[in-house]
Amino acid sequence: MLALQSIGSAQAYFTQQSTQPKAIIRDARVAMSSEPEETPVPAPVVDARYCAAGATAFAVTKTISVTGHDFTVNDARGVAVMQVEAAVFSFLQARSLLLDAASRRPVVTLQDDSYMATSRWQAYRGDSTSRRNLLFVAVKLSPLNLARTKVRVFLASNGSGERVPDFVISGSYYDGACTVSAKGRGDDGYAIAQITRQDTAGGALLGRHTYTARVNPGVDHAFIISLAVILDEMYH
């Protein structure tokens, strides 16, 4: 009887041990499936050289100038990395150049193409305004709710006839916080950057607005800085 009990106990032990690896594998699969997915990174819009491995932040400050549309762009260390200079004699169609601060090389040309109640800006590669160098178009329709901001951004490769945007700027410009989202996962897409506005009393009176552009890892910061400048132009 004792021998039979021992055999039964041994069989129960080995049966229990043989089921443990299956349970461990099953638990591991559950844990893996519950891990949050990484936020995707959109392809560079201006150039891959402006995509940093880590998160970055830039201060985009409007300066007092002849045109009233010039900006300086500093990184988190306070180093000037880009400048925006508006064309002095572009009265009929406003135009600005985003320049590399060190080399003075044109990175992006921003041109106003607004009509009626629609605010529309085009961005071109370098100092060109040729259709073949078009990078993207940003469009803000006249909103029913003036407190809310919604700017739709269409890449040059977008074939929807400006119906389905590639990116959306949403939030409230007047409250000082907007989010840039890339479309592709549901209706709201996924956030890739944030543009906030901080104005001092004296600076606001002089039209000297300061923006902070916080950019996710791998996202083209020249693109986001261009959007910050376009936001300012659309609201002033």
Side-chain angles (χ1 to χ4, degrees):
M1 179 66 67
L2 182 61
L4 290 175
Q5 289 178 347
S6 300
I7 293 172
S9 299
Q11 288 177 338
Y13 172 79
F14 284 115
T15 300
Q16 181 182 9
Q17 294 300 310
S18 65
T19 59
Q20 284 183 354
K22 294 180 181 179
I24 293 172
I25 293 172
R26 184 175 61 253
D27 292 342
R29 286 174 179 170
V30 171
M32 289 174 64
S33 63
S34 63
E35 290 180 358
E37 296 181 5
E38 292 185 2
T39 301
V41 178
V45 176
V46 179
D47 198 289
R49 75 182 72 182
Y50 302 114
C51 301
T56 51
F58 301 89
V60 184
T61 305
K62 179 177 277 189
T63 59
I64 299 174
S65 62
V66 173
T67 64
H69 297 275
D70 294 355
F71 295 81
T72 58
V73 182
N74 296 338
D75 63 14
R77 299 169 298 170
V79 177
V81 292
M82 290 184 177
Q83 294 177 326
V84 178
E85 293 185 359
V88 177
F89 299 108
S90 59
F91 301 111
L92 296 177
Q93 196 171 38
R95 184 183 300 172
S96 297
L97 277 177
L98 178 64
L99 306 169
D100 180 89
S103 65
R104 302 284 300 170
R105 181 179 63 84
V107 179
V108 176
T109 295
L110 304 174
Q111 182 167 274
D112 186 9
D113 190 40
S114 300
Y115 58 91
M116 302 295 287
T118 300
S119 184
R120 190 174 189 271
W121 280 77
Q122 298 170 322
Y124 299 86
R125 189 179 308 281
D127 59 356
S128 172
T129 55
S130 171
R131 183 71 186 177
R132 62 187 177 87
N133 288 316
L134 180 68
L135 293 170
F136 65 88
V137 176
V139 180
K140 178 174 76 70
L141 303 177
S142 181
L144 296 176
N145 184 356
L146 297 177
R148 305 304 299 170
T149 295
K150 187 166 186 179
V151 177
R152 299 179 298 170
V153 181
F154 305 89
L155 296 178
S157 59
N158 186 301
S160 70
E162 297 189 4
R163 290 189 299 272
V164 182
D166 298 288
F167 301 90
V168 173
I169 306 173
S170 58
S172 175
Y173 176 85
Y174 295 109
D175 288 342
C178 291
T179 299
V180 183
S181 300
K183 305 299 284 184
R185 183 186 296 169
D187 293 334
D188 296 330
Y190 52 94
I192 60 171
Q194 187 176 45
I195 300 171
T196 56
R197 177 170 54 90
Q198 307 87 27
D199 288 336
T200 61
L205 289 174
L206 295 172
R208 189 178 183 184
H209 307 286
T210 299
Y211 304 88
T212 300
R214 295 179 176 85
V215 187
N216 283 6
V219 175
D220 185 341
H221 65 253
F223 171 55
I224 303 301
I225 291 169
S226 298
L227 293 180
V229 174
I230 288 174
L231 263 183
D232 182 89
E233 295 288 357
M234 285 181 167
Y235 283 92
H236 298 285

